[in-house]
Each structure stands twice: as C-alpha cells, then as structure tokens.
Amino acid sequence: MRLNCPSIARWLLVWGKTDGNGVSRARGGPAWNPLFAHMLDAAACAGVLWDRYLASSVRDRLAEAFGGGDAATARRVVMFLAALHDLGKASTCFLRQFAEDSKGEAMRRAAAQWEEQARDAGVPLAPAGRIVPRARHEHITAAFLPGLLGCPCHGCTGRSEGARHEGLHVVALLLGGHHGDVPNPDQVEAARGAASEADWGKLRQELVTELARLLEVDLGALPDLVRPERPIALPLLAGLVVIADWIASDEKYFPYRSLDEPPAQWWEEARRNASAAATRLLLDAWQPGPAAWPEVYPDTPEPRPFQAAALAALPRSGPALVLIGTGSASGKTRLAQMCALRLARTCGHHGFYLALPTHAATRQAADEAASFINAVPSPSLRANLAVVYEHAEAGDIARRLRDGGVSEVSPVTDLPPATDPTPDSGPTPGIRDASAHRVVLDPWYLRRCRGLVSTFGIGTVDQVVLASQLSLHWFLRLFGLANKTVIIDEAHAHEMFRRHLLSATVSWLADAGASVVVLSATLPAEARRSLVDAWCEGHLVRPVTDGRTGPLTVVDQRGEVRHPDPAEIPGPVKPDVDLLEDPGPAGLARRLLTEAGGRGITGVVRHGAKRAHELYEALVAEASRRGWRPGEIVLVHDDLLPREREPREARIVRLLGPGADRRVRNPARPGRLIVVGTRIDQALDIDLDRLYTDLAPVDVLLHRAGRVHRHAVNDNGRPEDLRRPRMSVLWRTGADGLPDVEPPQGYEPAADTAERAARTAEYAPYTLAATWQVLRRRQGPQGLIALRTPGDTTALIDAVYGTAPPVAPDEAMNALLARTWAAWRSRLTNETNRAEGLARRPYDGDVPLEVVKLQSGKVHGRDGTAGKYARTGSTARSHPREPGIDALVLFRQPDKSLTYDGAGTLPAKLDHPHPHPHRHRHRHRELLLNTVSLPEHWFEGDHALPDPKTWPRLNHSALYYRPHLVFTPSGTCVRGLPERVTYQQDVGVQRIG
C-alpha cells in the first residue's frame, strides 16, 4: 500500500494486523490494517454492546466506575479504553513481526514497502539488524498506558512529586489481560524495558490524543472519572474489552482500512459495521413483554400455589436470590423461567443461563427453554441459545440449534408402544418444531469462552463454579453471567467442594446486580445459609430474616430474607424403598427380567462403567432366552465414546420423556424397556416405572426417587404390579454384615480395578454408610421404607449431613460410622480449604478485592484445564477430583485406512479443510465425537502410563495437538499406548493390568 501523500501522520502508519491469510487482498484490499483503524473498530463494538447488550445493572456498575455515575460519560470512556487495548503494538518488538513472520513473496514485498514508508514518516523503528528485547504487546499496554492517561507517579513520569493514580494502573492491567491473563508486575516491568518510552512515548501519545479527539473524550477530566472501586467493575471491563476486540477482529465485518480514507470516515464505517455484527451475532438484550402464565404454559393454565407465592414474593425492583426447595416434577423449572422473565422486566437482565448437573440433561432442557423463549412476546425475531459445556459442539442439541431449530430424526419405531399412540395434537413451539426458527445457535458461540456471553444459555453448573477461579479468560464467564438471571438446577448436598466455589460466584453476581435462582429440595440448612450469606456479602449487607422456614426463600439486595408461605406444597412423591443386598450381575439380571412379567420401564443406576457393562451383558445373555427383542435393553455410561453415547441418551429421552404434549402419554413410550447406566437419573425428565440404584448419599437417592412415576399422565398405562412407585437400593455386604463402603487396605488408584473403583467412587464412605443406617432405621415390618418427599426430605438430609453421625443400635455399625465420619470431616476441611484457595471473592469482609488478586498465567491454565496434559499447576476446578485427559480414538482398518468406528463405515477425514468454515466445524465435531477422557490416576504413581505428550503422533494436521489412540477393529491398541489399553464398543477404553 504505497502512500500518495508524503505528509501523512506517522501514527497512522503503525499497523495493527497483517493479511497473512490473504482475506483482505482477495477482496482487493490492503495487506495491512492501521492500528488506529482497529482501535476505532473496537471502540465501536464496545459502544454497540453498551447500547444493545449490557444489562442495565452492568451499565450502572460501569457508569459508577468510569463515568462518575453518568452513563453517557461512562459509555464514551469505556469505548475509549476498549480502543486502547492494543496500544502496545506501537513498539519495535511488535511491528518488526511484519517482516519476520510474512510468508510469500507478495507479503514480504508489502512488509518491505511498509517499513520504508514508516521510517520515512518518522516511526521510531530500531535500525535493521539490531537485537530488540521481546515483550508481548498487551504487557506494553499495561506498562505505559497509565502515564499516557495522566498518572503523575514516579513510575510513569520519572518525577517523584505525583501520587500514583490507582484507577489508571488498574485499568492498564485489565487491558493488558485482553489475551486472557492479567499480567503480573514482573511481566509489566519486562515490557517497560523492552519498549523504550524515550523512542515511542510521543507517538503513543499522538495515538491517544487523536483517539480521544475522535471519541470526544476529555483527557484532562479522565483521571477523575476512572475510579473502579467496586470489584465487579474489573471483570466487567475486562470481559467487555475482550468481546469488543474479538468482534472487531473479525474480517467478515471489519475490512482493512485504506490510508486514502480519513480516520473520520473509518469511524463512521466502524459504527455501521459494529451494529451489523451485533445483529448478525444476536447480541441484543432480551426485552420480554408481559406474559401471563397460561400464555406461556397452556398445558397448565394456572400456576400452582407455591409458584404463585414465589413470584409474588419477588422484589418489585432490584435483583433477587431465590431458593426453591420443592420436590421432583413439582414445576421448579417453570417457576425459575417465570422468575427470569419477571427479573428481566424489573431489573433489565439481558437473559438467563440454566446450569444443569450434567450435559446429558441439556437435551430436554434446551427444548423447554426454546419453547419458553418462543412463548414470551419479544421484539427480537431470533434469539441465540448457547449450549455450554466441554465438547458441546459434539452434541446433537448444538447441531439442531445451529441448523436453525430443525426437527430431530424421525420418531423411534423400533419398540412397540404400551398403548395405542395418541393422535398428535400439534407441534410444541420449541426446537422440535421445524417451523419455529426463532431460537438458534450461532457457531460463534461454540468457540472457547463465548457460550456464556450469549443472552440465553444452557449448560453445566461447572461453568458457574469456574467463574470465580483464575484461568485463561476466566473473567469472560463472570462477564456473561453478570448480565443474566443464573438458574442452578439440582444442587446436591454432598458436593461440598462445589458449594464453596458456587458461593464465591454468587457473591460476584450479587456485586454485579445479577439475580440467582437455585433449585434443589436436598440442600441442608447450612448450605442454604451459605448461599444467603454469599449473596449478602456481595451486596455488603447482613441478612435480615423473617424468622420463618420453608421450601421457598427470597432475598433482595438489602438482605431481607423472606420465606413466602406456599399455601400448598406439590403433591408428595411416595416411593416404597427397600435395601437389597446386591445379588451380583447374573442374579440381578434374573430378578429384573422376572419382575412384573417382563413389563414396564425399569432403570438401573450403577456406579462405574464396568459394573454397568457387567449387568448389561448378564441381561442380554438371559434376555435372549426369554424372548426379549434387541433394543429392549439399553446401556449408557460416561466411558462410551460420545459417538456411541449421544444417540443412546437421545433415544432414552425420546422414549421416556414427556413427549411433545405433556397432557397426554408419550406415544413413543414402549411396553417394556430396561435402561442400565451410570447417570440416567440426570437425563432430566425421564419417567420410570421401577428403579434400582447402587447405594448413594441420601440427597442423590431422593433425587433419583423423583424419576419413578414422575409423570401422572403415564399412570394408567403402568403394569399392575408396578402401580406403586418402588426403588431398591443395592448394597454389598462387608465385614459383620455391614455395607462395604470403604476402599480396601493398601488401595492404590493407579492400580485401579473395576471392583476397587466401584468402592472408591465420588461419594464419601461416610455419606454411604450414614445413608444406609438412616434408611435401615426407617424399615417397616416387611423391610420397606415409606418415603414422603418433600415431607421427609429435611429430616433425612439433616440425619446424614448434620453435626454428628446417626446412632446405630449395634457397636460395629457405630464404629464404622465414627471411623468414616472422622475421615469425611477431614475430607470436607481439605475440600473447603482447597476451594477457598482457588476461588476469588469480591470482598474480604467489606474490603474490595485488589487487581493483584486477579493476575494469572500459564500455571492457572486454559478454561480450567491446566495440567490436562502436563498435570501441573494450580488449575481451576469444578470438582475436587483431578481432571481427565482427553484422547482421540481412531481405528485402523486392514487396508491401513483410519476410521471413526471399528466397523470401518465412517472414514476419518483428517486433512485441514481451511478455508471452508462449515467443513472445519464438521470435522471438529467428528473429532469430538471420538474423544474420551482417560482417568488422571492412570498417569500417576509407580504404574503410570506414559505422558500423552510423549505419544507418537500421526502426520495429519488435525492431530498435531490432540493425543490420540489407534485401535484395530478388534480393540487392540496399535498406536499411543500399545499393550497398555484396549477398546470395547460397550465399555470404552480400558487399561490392561
């Protein structure tokens, strides 16, 4: 791009991006984009996000921090600061990359031409050949920006008479973190030494001055406006800057600028392009109109009394914390949705995020969320519903949403229904309805860290607990959630580690003015108090209670705690529960197939994929002799490849879910089916006639019991012998006839066997032993335990999770409880300390968090997965267990070709599909469908498997950064870990020995 005007300002010749991919030149554009042009693009994006995307409470927080409380002033200041994020590119160590990194003759010529013109115009580039210290451009921004904006301290000016302006230094560090990690003092000091202020200071000041003039920012008044005292202002600014930068860097929306055009024209174009980009990406806050309950839920035209009571208790203005403790199938989710609607209208929240216990639950929940969004009047023609969990792109729900809400595959026809199908009363307006395209998923939100930025989201609770922990771009999670109502479904009592992390995030959300709704009938009183205290901590108030208790709790921003009288609790679930000694796979298979004459829907929850598979094999062997059809026994567990697991989970939900019309029996519901799995109880809305489950903590069992006879619409079709809900809790006998809940002496996780793994699951031995004892004490004359939920819930939870273990009638059981209680309390202390060490809270008492506590780096990892391959570092965690290690599974056929399946029907296309984005997304999804998580302990201890970094790699571009295992069709590993692991279709990857 040769300049025709020799008098052009030198600050316009600082480049910000170069056309390494040829996109600009293919359009006839320049080979490089001026830094000032990108600054204007980022400012325009920040302005559009302010106007159209930010929740009103977030704008208030930013106005307080950067505008002296005036929103219009803060908007200009925030746009200005967002534009300055790349100021550090005005340095030799960055600009010389044009010549050093250019590939191809055309780009090398463009680099040489640019350098000649820049030197002629007075850009202070170092002489050719001189060694220049390296520093990241964002660290250079952090080092020099405070002085350029008016900080008079010695470090910025070299003079000692001025006081340090903390606000400007805080902002500089936040802008220095726009690539994901807020820099530490050593990084900032190194950048100061690598980018001379004497050489570059005046040019950077020219950029700042011209930018301020164009954006109408008064530099003299700026220092008095930048006062980010509230902690949430820090991640809010950091998140807004990163999103603005990412959008502004997309060449689809922002082409490179020509120096033949004046910067004022660039600014006009930047604002138009930013508005178009926001429209394309559906970055508009939800603006729901008034909607009455029967309009949203025509199948239940009136809210239940407890739903009406909770809605009436919401504050008329301001955010709220809402705890809903009613039982399964009571309508908690619908109440939460209506709370989100009410809070969006009264508080200006821009949408909601529904956090579920596992990703398996997202399938039906997404249907329900889409139906809800469609049913509420809104000026927006389309809404983005992001699916947010690791490897979400591999899931069927993401594909259906991405494709614009098209219908699922054809209805299941491989199993006969129990009754004649009910005529279809018409499609439900959700993503099942091929004609309803309002709710979609733009692929932009499937990329790393972007899902929670969507106005609507559905995913796992992991995203919420990670939002208060340092990792690469961690503040984007908090930024996205801070604009919403956050709904947390099925919080469990036994998850102490998560509870502490969750409370930290709740404090941040309170500081942001967001709202939180927690759904759980199984939280002990202490856990509820913890959430209320965290909420009040974020508002710098103390809780003021009404002195009552109950299943509903509403807390406003002043700390007023109310327990509205629900007038009526939803009808109780009354399962009969029995404690059944586990008869082993063969004995249990015979019992399952014999019971009720082989009719009805039976679920079996096993702890461990190996145990689930053993029962499945025993069932299949016995069923073939009893005339059962293939497909009437289903196995699903977490160790399966997603390619195997996803369709099985989808099939279970289609068959056992409520169907399109909740008022009638699901016409796809079969006459008989046995489902064996590890987490089938967390597939959300399935309805079982009968349930067997391995012994689990009482809160988990209460949750599982809610899957038995879940929908009354199915009651008339249940087999006669299964007309009463029934759950059998399977336990194995140990010494003295007590439950076998403790790991054996000398147990080593690295030498794990299936039997030992089953006894060292995620549940603490005490919670299992105490649950067994509490249930046994409630046994009637025939051994049955009559539970009434929610009536019995509080007593059961307190008996297990109280301040002392339950008392048993025999000495041996008391000894087991005392021994495991001590170990459990020690474990809880360790988990609490670890969680508190990982979490960042906005306040310590009433002292705001300092920016130094937000500084992060490689040790904190990427998306909470540091150490995933290196297994080092203080990684963010959503669970106290170490994370698994992702590995891609491929199959080598006899002709040496690679496939995604052992049968050889799915060729693995591993060549790079660039520049075809649709093909790239398709290949990425295919790879994710064949990715499994290997246990961390396989790579530790005396029997450790080789580190994945040392595995040999196949020469394909798609596999450069992916550890991969290659198996023969029979399951023998031939690459990666040969002779150390094997693969079976229904089991997954298993370690040998």
Side-chain angles (χ1 to χ4, degrees), residues 311-374:
L311 291 171
L314 290 177
R316 293 186 177 182
S317 63
L321 168 68
V322 184
L323 307 179
I324 304 172
T326 57
S328 296
S330 63
K332 294 194 301 289
T333 300
R334 291 190 170 188
L335 172 56
Q337 290 174 340
M338 291 301 285
C339 286
L341 169 61
R342 182 79 60 85
L343 292 164
R345 288 180 55 79
T346 59
C347 302
H349 301 333
H350 79 187
F352 62 79
Y353 176 72
L354 175 58
L356 300 161
T358 70
H359 67 80
T362 59
R363 184 174 292 103
Q364 280 181 280
D367 276 348
E368 294 171 357
S371 295
F372 171 72
I373 296 167
N374 276 328

Side-chain angles (χ1 to χ4, degrees), residues 749-750 752 834 865-873 875 877 880-886 933-941 943-948 991:
D752 194 333
R834 188 178 181 192
T865 56
K868 197 160 193 179
Y869 302 127
R871 294 179 305 287
T872 58
T875 313
R877 292 280 189 263
R881 295 194 309 268
E882 292 298 311
I885 295 176
D886 286 349
S933 182
L934 306 180
E936 178 79 7
H937 64 251
W938 284 8
F939 302 89
E940 298 175 341
H943 305 281
L945 297 180
D947 192 298
R991 181 174 176 172

Side-chain angles (χ1 to χ4, degrees), residues 399-418:
R399 179 188 61 78
R400 290 192 287 135
L401 283 165
R402 189 190 63 214
D403 291 344
V406 297
S407 178
E408 290 190 63
V409 295
S410 301
V412 174
T413 58
D414 61 338
L415 294 178

Side-chain angles (χ1 to χ4, degrees), residues 210-382:
E210 289 300 321
L211 185 65
R213 182 187 62 81
L214 204 55
L215 299 183
E216 301 179 357
V217 172
D218 183 350
L219 286 176
L222 183 68
D224 289 334
L225 296 172
V226 178
R227 304 288 179 183
E229 297 175 358
R230 189 188 290 266
I232 191 60
L234 310 185
L236 290 180
L237 178 66
L240 179 61
V241 168
V242 168
I243 295 301
D245 178 33
W246 284 354
I247 298 172
S249 299
D250 194 326
E251 295 174 32
K252 294 194 301 292
Y253 308 117
F254 297 91
Y256 287 5
R257 308 299 185 190
S258 168
L259 291 175
D260 294 332
E261 302 168 348
Q265 183 175 335
W266 295 350
W267 179 227
E268 292 297 325
E269 293 174 355
R271 285 183 286 184
R272 288 196 298 270
N273 293 341
S275 180
T279 299
R280 173 65 179 81
L281 295 173
L282 302 174
L283 282 166
D284 283 296
W286 189 30
Q287 297 177 329
W293 189 282
E295 296 174 294
V296 181
Y297 307 116
D299 57 332
T300 55
E302 293 294 333
R304 294 178 176 179
F306 90 95
Q307 293 167 328
L311 291 171
L314 290 177
R316 293 186 177 182
S317 63
L321 168 68
V322 184
L323 307 179
I324 304 172
T326 57
S328 296
S330 63
K332 294 194 301 289
T333 300
R334 291 190 170 188
L335 172 56
Q337 290 174 340
M338 291 301 285
C339 286
L341 169 61
R342 182 79 60 85
L343 292 164
R345 288 180 55 79
T346 59
C347 302
H349 301 333
H350 79 187
F352 62 79
Y353 176 72
L354 175 58
L356 300 161
T358 70
H359 67 80
T362 59
R363 184 174 292 103
Q364 280 181 280
D367 276 348
E368 294 171 357
S371 295
F372 171 72
I373 296 167
N374 276 328
V376 175
S378 171
S380 300
L381 297 178
R382 307 183 92 193

Side-chain angles (χ1 to χ4, degrees), residues 52-258:
R52 296 171 51 177
Y53 171 81
L54 294 183
S56 58
S57 57
V58 170
R59 284 197 296 267
D60 290 343
R61 301 307 190 256
L62 293 174
E64 175 185 84
F66 304 109
D70 182 72
T73 301
R75 179 181 182 274
R76 291 195 300 273
V77 170
V78 167
M79 291 167 62
F80 178 63
L81 296 176
L84 291 171
H85 72 283
D86 271 350
L87 184 65
K89 289 182 175 179
S91 59
T92 297
C93 57
F94 178 82
L95 294 177
R96 73 188 316 167
Q97 293 178 80
F98 200 169
E100 293 174 350
D101 298 342
S102 292
K103 294 180 174 59
E105 185 60 31
M107 283 299 289
R108 284 192 287 270
R109 285 197 307 269
Q113 186 181 60
W114 166 82
E115 184 173 345
E116 178 186 352
Q117 294 164 346
R119 290 185 186 278
D120 289 346
V123 177
L125 298 171
R130 177 186 293 180
I131 297 176
V132 177
R134 294 282 185 177
R136 294 186 62 87
H137 71 269
E138 65 268 29
H139 297 167
I140 298 172
T141 298
F144 295 106
L145 186 60
L148 293 169
L149 296 184
C151 179
C153 74
H154 175 75
C156 291
T157 65
R159 301 183 298 273
S160 59
E161 64 271 15
R164 177 183 169 95
H165 191 296
E166 289 298 333
L168 294 179
H169 281 271
V170 167
V171 163
L173 288 172
L174 296 175
L175 298 184
H178 74 266
H179 279 284
D181 289 315
V182 176
N184 59 50
D186 291 340
Q187 292 170 317
V188 174
E189 190 59 32
R192 186 178 294 279
S196 170
E197 175 71 5
D199 292 338
W200 284 93
K202 290 184 178 179
L203 189 147
R204 294 182 191 129
Q205 190 67 65
E206 292 166 5
L207 280 166
V208 170
T209 301
E210 289 300 321
L211 185 65
R213 182 187 62 81
L214 204 55
L215 299 183
E216 301 179 357
V217 172
D218 183 350
L219 286 176
L222 183 68
D224 289 334
L225 296 172
V226 178
R227 304 288 179 183
E229 297 175 358
R230 189 188 290 266
I232 191 60
L234 310 185
L236 290 180
L237 178 66
L240 179 61
V241 168
V242 168
I243 295 301
D245 178 33
W246 284 354
I247 298 172
S249 299
D250 194 326
E251 295 174 32
K252 294 194 301 292
Y253 308 117
F254 297 91
Y256 287 5
R257 308 299 185 190
S258 168

Side-chain angles (χ1 to χ4, degrees), residues 798-834:
D798 289 345
V800 173
Y801 293 99
T803 57
V807 177
D810 54 279
E811 183 177 342
M813 187 64 199
N814 279 322
L816 173 63
L817 289 169
R819 183 171 63 251
T820 55
W821 163 267
W824 181 60
R825 298 304 298 182
S826 175
R827 168 176 163 175
L828 292 186
T829 299
N830 291 336
E831 287 187 6
T832 300
N833 292 339
R834 188 178 181 192

